[in-house]
Amino acid sequence: MSEQNELSASPAAPAPASQAAWTARYRNALMNTFGPPKRVFVRGEGVHLWDADGNRYTDFLAGIAVNALGHAHPAVLAAITGQLSTLGHVSNFFATPAQIELAERLSGFVTANEPGTPARVFFANSGTEANEAAFKLTRLTGRTRIVAMEGSFHGRTMGALAITHNRAYREPFEPLPGDVSFVPYGDAEALARAVDDTVAAVVIEPIQGENGVVDPGDEFIRAARRITHAHGALLWLDEVQTGMGRCGEWLASSGSGVTADVVTFAKGLGNGFPIGACVATGAAADLLHPGNHGTTFGGNPVAAVAGLAVIGVIERDRLLEASRRLGDRLADRMMAAGHPLVAGVRGRGLLRGIVLTADVAGATVERLLEAGWVANAPRPAVIRVAPPLIVTEADIDGFVQAVLDALPSGDADVG
Ligand SMILES: Cc1ncc(COP(=O)(O)O)c(C=O)c1O
């Protein structure tokens, strides 16, 4: 009997497990870091996801601003499988063309406001690791103080936690790497007061995604650049969530005209293949030396070709422009509906926060999920919207209607 026949002659395959069955196994198999999963997904294609019970969803979260090209994009798939079948991994004793090409492209994005500025990249596997590299790099300036922002989120390693503002995340793990102070986000005067010649770096998210898509505007970034220049401190922009076209430009900070000393990327860079990058410019690009830092997987050629494929498709399909146009459409349609619970829409491009007048974002997101739409609520009164950049106008309009339908209708629901 051929292998194929043996397989087909085997006893009837068990019915695919249900979400309930998978969720029960999840509880036993995985640490309880994230609470119970809201759904168990088994397939994705374009902007759609399917759960283990066969229900279809439209994904307006994209794995938290990750799947810029949606699910199972053919260009990413071809790049990853092609590279994996050619050369999957070599370690950082060696180099690969893909890693070098991706570093050059990211450096180009970071120095676009001052072309010709030297820039170099350290590749990591996640946002927190990209920030960890940046944190270590700042220590090599000979200074140790870091000024971070109230409301910030930079990841979960000890270094990234030290510059993350949320006390609940920090306190169980203290003492954290020290010498970090926090200033109100968007307050240039407070920042000017906090920075002196002992500060190694100021770290800022151009838009605070985890804090509910809070956008301080370009002028704050420009002020931070002036202040850091005046005191010889590094300006470090965390573009992990906002970069790679999410906000309508390669960097959310692009429009500020500023060139930062350090920029960190992850999330959208690999479309779901894990990769992070710490890009440094000018003198900051020369701070890390052999022995200072390292990684086994970072810069792996498979991750690097995923990044190159993402960049190629964003350019080919003009997705930066699409991100701006569709994000504005979403905000305009949402506001035009005049729903009494919708106070405004924050953010840029396709990173948006629908701000509500009551703490009903969590319940609304649950109802959206029931109706087949994936979004999330980073704050009690904010729905975060971060769909793949390949969404259509019809998807946007459908989502706006779904939110309007999912919002509580009467005062009784809002309490
Ligand atoms: C601005 C920012 N920085 C860093 C991180 C951490 O990235 P990761 O979860 O890939 O470690 C995140 C994740 O949400 C983020 O939004």
Side-chain angles (χ1 to χ4, degrees), residues 64 125-129 131 153-156 205 207 209-210 238-242 264 266-267 384:
I64 318 182
N125 311 289
S126 64
T128 198
E129 278 180 74
N131 284 331
F153 182 82
H154 297 289
R156 302 291 195 149
E205 295 156 83
I207 295 175
E210 295 308 297
D238 179 341
E239 295 257 9
V240 164
Q241 185 159 160
T242 53
T264 46
K267 288 196 184 277
R384 172 170 42 189

Side-chain angles (χ1 to χ4, degrees), residues 183-260:
V183 300
Y185 187 49
D187 185 339
E189 286 175 17
L191 183 62
R193 282 194 299 276
V195 179
D196 61 22
D197 289 357
T198 68
V199 169
V202 171
V203 54
I204 302 175
E205 295 156 83
I207 295 175
Q208 288 184 338
E210 295 308 297
N211 195 31
V213 193
V214 183
D215 183 353
D218 285 339
E219 186 44 40
F220 181 60
I221 304 296
R222 283 192 282 271
R225 181 67 287 184
R226 284 193 297 274
I227 294 163
T228 46
H229 265 327
H231 294 285
L234 301 179
L235 176 61
W236 161 11
L237 297 179
D238 179 341
E239 295 257 9
V240 164
Q241 185 159 160
T242 53
M244 298 309 297
R246 171 58 48 196
C247 298
E249 303 287 349
W250 288 113
L251 279 66
S253 58
S254 298
S256 68
V258 156
T259 306

Side-chain angles (χ1 to χ4, degrees), residues 103-104 106-108 110-111 117-123 137 261-263 277-289:
E104 290 170 350
L106 293 179
S107 293
V110 168
T111 59
T117 305
R120 294 205 175 92
V121 179
F122 177 86
F123 281 116
L137 180 154
D261 301 291
V262 182
V263 177
C278 170
V279 184
T281 67
D286 294 329
L287 287 170
L288 284 170
H289 286 284

Side-chain angles (χ1 to χ4, degrees), residues 41-376:
F41 288 121
V42 293
R43 190 164 80 82
E45 191 182 322
V47 297
H48 293 119
L49 288 164
W50 284 263
D51 71 23
D53 297 335
N55 302 305
R56 193 184 86 152
Y57 302 79
T58 307
D59 188 0
F60 265 61
L61 187 59
I64 318 182
V66 168
N67 301 95
L69 308 186
H71 301 276
H73 193 284
V76 180
L77 199 60
I80 287 177
T81 52
Q83 183 63 44
L84 199 53
S85 59
T86 310
L87 181 64
H89 177 79
V90 293
S91 92
N92 283 303
F93 290 134
F94 309 100
T96 63
Q99 166 200 47
I100 297 162
E101 282 178 21
L102 183 61
E104 290 170 350
R105 293 305 316 264
L106 293 179
S107 293
F109 298 154
V110 168
T111 59
N113 286 321
E114 284 175 76
T117 305
R120 294 205 175 92
V121 179
F122 177 86
F123 281 116
N125 311 289
S126 64
T128 198
E129 278 180 74
N131 284 331
E132 200 70 21
F135 197 127
K136 287 181 72 176
L137 180 154
T138 71
R139 287 284 170 104
L140 298 175
T141 60
R143 304 179 182 180
T144 54
R145 281 191 59 206
I146 294 196
V147 177
M149 300 296 124
E150 292 179 4
S152 62
F153 182 82
H154 297 289
R156 302 291 195 149
T157 54
M158 297 296 265
L161 263 189
I163 53 172
T164 290
H165 187 237
N166 189 329
R167 294 204 68 77
Y169 296 165
R170 302 159 51 84
E171 268 175 0
F173 304 101
E174 289 175 345
L176 295 167
D179 245 356
V180 180
S181 56
F182 294 92
V183 300
Y185 187 49
D187 185 339
E189 286 175 17
L191 183 62
R193 282 194 299 276
V195 179
D196 61 22
D197 289 357
T198 68
V199 169
V202 171
V203 54
I204 302 175
E205 295 156 83
I207 295 175
Q208 288 184 338
E210 295 308 297
N211 195 31
V213 193
V214 183
D215 183 353
D218 285 339
E219 186 44 40
F220 181 60
I221 304 296
R222 283 192 282 271
R225 181 67 287 184
R226 284 193 297 274
I227 294 163
T228 46
H229 265 327
H231 294 285
L234 301 179
L235 176 61
W236 161 11
L237 297 179
D238 179 341
E239 295 257 9
V240 164
Q241 185 159 160
T242 53
M244 298 309 297
R246 171 58 48 196
C247 298
E249 303 287 349
W250 288 113
L251 279 66
S253 58
S254 298
S256 68
V258 156
T259 306
D261 301 291
V262 182
V263 177
T264 46
F265 296 96
K267 288 196 184 277
L269 178 52
N271 206 57
F273 203 94
I275 179 168
C278 170
V279 184
T281 67
D286 294 329
L287 287 170
L288 284 170
H289 286 284
N292 288 147
H293 199 43
T295 168
T296 297
F297 295 123
N300 168 294
V302 184
V305 294
L308 288 168
V310 168
I311 292 169
V313 174
I314 289 177
E315 287 177 331
R316 185 195 71 191
D317 295 350
R318 306 172 66 88
L319 295 181
L320 299 182
E321 192 268 329
S323 171
R324 294 193 291 271
R325 182 170 47 80
L326 293 165
D328 287 347
R329 183 182 181 99
L330 184 138
D332 292 347
R333 299 250 152 168
M334 203 69 238
M335 293 316 292
H339 196 288
L341 277 171
V342 177
V345 178
R346 295 196 290 237
R348 285 181 246 165
L350 283 171
L351 180 62
R352 298 286 177 155
I354 301 171
V355 184
L356 307 177
T357 57
D359 289 352
V360 293
T364 304
V365 161
E366 289 298 326
R367 278 194 286 270
L368 277 170
L369 199 55
E370 287 299 317
W373 299 86
V374 180
N376 97 314

